[in-house]
Amino acid sequence: MFSLQTIFGQGNQFYTLLEEAAEAAYDSARALHAMLREADRQPALDAFKLARQREREASDKISQALVDSFITPIEREDIEALGAALYKIPKQIEKFADRYALAVQHLEHIDFAPRAAMLEQAAGVVVEMVRQLRHMKLEPMKKLNDQLRALENEADRLMLELYRDIYSGKLDPLQMFLLKEFFEILEKAIDRCREAGVVAYEIVLKNS
């Protein structure tokens, strides 16, 4: 026979698992920024594989906990949506890292680090937003949401600068293709952070 503690006392595990997923995504973004700051070295991919593994484990635990738990602290659909959004962040980052490792010899004069720094910042904001779910306070979450939106807007502005470089005529066709592809992958990774932040913000809007 289940005790009341068994039935009602498991809610915090969802917050913990979501936080673990957000932290894995942040670690992936931090590893990418570090890799791109050291562009003179052959990229090492172990950190990205590890972050993705941690993300998968957290995602699997969330899915299992949803099956096992009678009561959840927030709606099941919201837990699933946030877990899915967080899962996509390191997946996108690993995509960049894998392709960068293959094409690094063609990218010697392209500095991706400033954009990667923005991605790291965005992933860090997502971690803070997920941590705020335990408190369900609207004002701190709104400030974090505004911060994440500002980072997304700045990333969009930088993408416009990128297209100016692409259409300047100074790059050869291969460089044009690679520049566009890699910056778009980075932009999408920041978009993934924004999507996760929106889900977290909407959860607080519904529950505060």
Side-chain angles (χ1 to χ4, degrees):
M1 183 174 181
F2 291 105
S3 65
L4 289 177
Q5 184 178 6
T6 301
I7 296 175
F8 295 105
Q10 300 299 318
N12 283 338
Q13 68 177 315
F14 290 101
Y15 294 131
T16 299
L17 291 171
L18 289 168
E19 288 166 3
E20 288 177 3
E23 288 162 4
Y26 172 73
D27 287 347
S28 182
R30 183 172 58 181
L32 182 66
H33 187 203
M35 183 183 78
L36 294 174
R37 287 200 310 265
E38 301 172 350
D40 56 327
R41 302 181 185 179
Q42 181 62 30
L45 302 177
D46 291 349
F48 305 100
K49 306 299 181 185
L50 179 60
R52 280 274 280 143
Q53 180 180 348
R54 287 169 53 206
E55 186 73 44
R56 288 192 195 98
E57 289 173 355
S59 179
D60 290 344
K61 288 177 182 178
I62 289 169
S63 298
Q64 189 60 48
L66 286 170
V67 172
D68 295 341
S69 299
F70 180 67
I71 297 294
T72 59
I74 53 179
E75 293 182 13
R76 291 172 179 270
E77 292 78 6
D78 290 334
I79 295 171
E80 290 173 342
L82 182 54
L86 292 170
Y87 182 83
K88 294 175 182 177
I89 298 171
K91 182 178 180 181
Q92 189 70 24
I93 294 171
E94 187 181 29
K95 177 180 179 181
F96 181 100
D98 285 343
R99 296 189 182 186
Y100 181 83
L102 294 173
V104 65
Q105 68 272 19
H106 302 294
L107 302 168
E108 294 176 351
H109 304 297
I110 301 173
D111 185 9
F112 294 102
R115 274 80 170 185
M118 292 184 61
L119 173 59
E120 182 180 353
Q121 291 177 50
V125 174
V126 170
V127 171
E128 292 302 317
M129 295 181 82
V130 174
R131 289 173 179 166
Q132 282 293 325
L133 292 178
R134 292 180 183 268
H135 311 294
M136 291 297 170
K137 293 182 179 179
L138 184 57
E139 190 57 33
M141 185 65 90
K142 184 179 184 302
K143 290 180 180 179
L144 290 167
N145 187 60
D146 291 344
Q147 186 178 346
L148 192 55
R149 183 166 51 192
L151 286 168
E152 182 189 32
N153 290 338
E154 178 63 11
D156 290 342
R157 185 188 69 78
L158 291 175
M159 280 298 295
L160 288 177
E161 292 184 2
L162 160 69
Y163 283 115
R164 292 192 191 99
D165 292 338
I166 289 175
Y167 300 136
S168 68
K170 299 177 182 178
L171 303 174
D172 63 50
L174 178 60
Q175 286 180 317
M176 289 176 63
F177 170 78
L178 292 174
L179 190 66
K180 182 174 183 294
E181 179 181 34
F182 280 102
F183 275 118
E184 286 182 349
I185 294 173
L186 279 179
E187 182 188 32
K188 186 170 288 187
I190 293 175
D191 289 343
R192 297 301 191 201
C193 291
R194 176 68 178 143
E195 290 163 9
V198 167
V199 176
Y201 182 55
E202 290 178 348
I203 290 172
V204 172
L205 281 176
K206 289 197 294 185
N207 293 277
S208 60

